[in-house]
Amino acid sequence: MALYCNKSEAARFFGMCRSTMYGVVDGIQKEIKAGRYSQYAIAGGKVSKAVVLDYLRYRDWLADKNTRSLVPPYDENAAIRAVGEMGAGK
């Protein structure tokens, strides 16, 4: 299973429509600028499934200024493991 995929593949993997995934990618880009994710979260039109999973999990908290500080730091290894477990079930 590849860690990076295009937006359409990511939408299928996470069970959402492409337009929703485009919104997720926009949110990830904002979080890259804010310093949560590295510049490699999105590379060459492909997005990291691990970053998408983390963003989906915490996006409501990240969007709220009162809960943003409660979000744990991004744990890349844990997110990659979780994506691998999701892919194994497919």
Side-chain angles (χ1 to χ4, degrees):
M1 180 193 72
L3 182 59
Y4 285 85
C5 61
N6 65 37
K7 294 173 194 137
S8 294
E9 292 168 339
R12 277 192 301 276
F13 185 83
F14 289 102
M16 63 181 67
C17 67
R18 283 188 325 169
S19 61
T20 301
M21 182 54 66
Y22 279 84
V24 167
V25 170
D26 288 344
I28 290 170
Q29 288 173 332
K30 290 176 185 171
E31 292 302 322
I32 291 170
K33 290 177 184 171
R36 178 164 179 82
Y37 305 119
S38 79
Q39 63 186 8
Y40 300 108
I42 300 172
K46 297 196 175 205
V47 62
S48 167
K49 291 178 190 173
V51 170
V52 172
L53 180 62
D54 180 82
Y55 181 76
L56 290 173
R57 182 173 183 188
Y58 294 113
R59 71 177 160 185
D60 293 335
W61 286 27
L62 290 167
D64 185 335
K65 66 179 182 175
N66 295 319
T67 57
R68 185 174 182 85
S69 63
L70 302 174
V71 177
Y74 174 57
D75 183 349
E76 185 174 31
N77 293 327
I80 290 170
R81 271 193 313 277
V83 165
E85 290 168 4
M86 288 174 68
K90 291 194 174 220

